[in-house]
Amino acid sequence: MGLIDLDVRTLLGSGTAGVNELELVVEKINDAIKEISVAEASFVPETFAFGASLTPGSFGDADSAPGLAHHYQRAHEVTWKTLRGVKADLVEFRSACRAAMQEIQAADDQAADNLRVITRALEGVATRGRGRASSEAHHRARQAQDVDPAEGTL
């Protein structure tokens, strides 16, 4: 051991909490992407648009039937067009999740690169700071002394 004994892991910390948190975020984003993809396949606003459509005659022969049919058609159209917008929003959100994943991966890669640079720098400090020069100078100085075994050491 030298005068300076640096443990890079001690200086940088284990970092496991950050890694676990990042893994959790990535997992949750992937779950959201999967759920949206599954829902998208079964969420078809057009099915509602044409499947739940009623003809004006469906409201009978009462005097109010044409008015009911008109308001139903308007509400039906608003509903299915809103559903179509919801689906578009979900697809857009899924794209945003994928973009977020790419950003997280890029940031993680950059952080890993930065950590490697810092680790190499600290390892360099640790290996150069072990006091080799002073140890060698001390050893050479002792070797250069005239020590007579009968007289003992200096």
Side-chain angles (χ1 to χ4, degrees):
M1 295 281 169
L3 296 173
I4 301 173
D5 187 24
L6 294 177
D7 182 2
V8 174
R9 287 180 298 274
T10 302
L11 290 173
L12 296 177
S14 64
T16 56
V19 170
N20 290 339
E21 290 170 6
L22 181 60
E23 288 173 356
L24 181 62
V25 169
V26 168
E27 181 182 331
K28 294 298 181 186
I29 292 173
N30 279 329
D31 288 347
I33 289 170
K34 287 176 191 171
E35 286 183 37
I36 291 169
S37 296
V38 168
E40 181 186 13
S42 62
F43 186 45
V44 185
E46 289 74 16
T47 301
F48 174 80
F50 300 109
S53 182
L54 297 175
T55 63
S58 300
F59 293 93
D61 291 332
D63 290 341
S64 60
L68 286 172
H70 174 71
H71 289 295
Y72 174 82
Q73 291 294 21
R74 287 179 60 198
H76 180 76
E77 183 177 344
V78 167
T79 301
W80 85 264
K81 286 182 178 179
T82 301
L83 290 173
R84 189 172 57 187
V86 167
K87 183 175 182 174
D89 287 345
L90 285 172
V91 170
E92 184 178 339
F93 180 69
R94 180 181 58 199
S95 296
C97 287
R98 287 179 176 152
M101 289 292 295
Q102 290 173 347
E103 290 296 322
I104 289 170
Q105 186 62 50
D108 190 42
D109 291 346
Q110 183 63 46
D113 289 343
N114 291 343
L115 184 60
R116 279 190 287 277
V117 169
I118 291 168
T119 301
R120 280 195 300 271
L122 291 175
E123 286 171 347
V125 168
T127 58
R128 290 184 201 99
R130 294 197 192 274
R132 284 185 299 201
S134 60
S135 294
E136 289 174 14
H138 176 72
H139 180 71
R140 280 193 307 273
R142 286 189 61 182
Q143 296 299 321
Q145 296 295 316
D146 287 331
V147 178
D148 185 349
E151 295 178 18
T153 59
L154 291 175

